[in-house]
Amino acid sequence: PSPLGGERAVSVSAGSTHSLALTTDASVWSWGFGDGGRLGHGDEQRQLLPKKIESLAGKRVVAVSAGEHHNLALTAGGAVWSWGGGRNGQ
C-alpha cells in the first residue's frame, strides 16, 4: 500500500529533519521531526511515516517547499500558507 493514501507524489521537498510530499489530489503529507510544529499536525510529534496535513485539505495546493524549520504551500488561487518555526519571521 502507498504511504500517501494511495495517491502518487507529484512533488517532494526536504528540510533539515523533515520532508513534504504533494500528491495528485493536491494533498500535502509530512513526516520527520515535528519540533516547532513543522509537520503541520497541531503538535510536535515525530512521524516516521507520511501523514496528511488535514488543515490544508480542500485548499488545492500546487507547490510545497520545506525550509529548515518551516514550510510553505502555494495554492492554485495564489494564496501562500506557512507553518512551523517562525522565530525569524518566516
Side-chain angles (χ1 to χ4, degrees):
S2 168
L4 300 172
E7 296 291 327
R8 286 188 13 211
V10 295
S11 178
V12 294
S13 184
S16 62
T17 59
H18 70 291
S19 299
L20 301 174
L22 176 63
T23 57
T24 54
D25 67 349
S27 295
V28 181
W29 298 71
S30 65
W31 64 99
F33 287 106
D35 302 21
R38 73 185 75 181
L39 297 182
H41 303 299
D43 59 28
E44 295 191 357
Q45 297 297 309
R46 180 181 187 182
Q47 294 293 324
L48 298 178
L49 297 173
K51 182 176 177 181
K52 187 176 183 178
I53 302 177
E54 296 296 340
S55 60
L56 294 174
K59 303 266 192 275
R60 295 204 22 93
V61 174
V62 296
V64 293
S65 182
E68 184 174 358
H69 300 290
H70 72 290
N71 306 289
L72 299 171
L74 173 67
T75 68
V80 176
W81 294 85
S82 66
W83 64 98
R87 282 181 278 167
N88 299 311
Q90 301 92 307

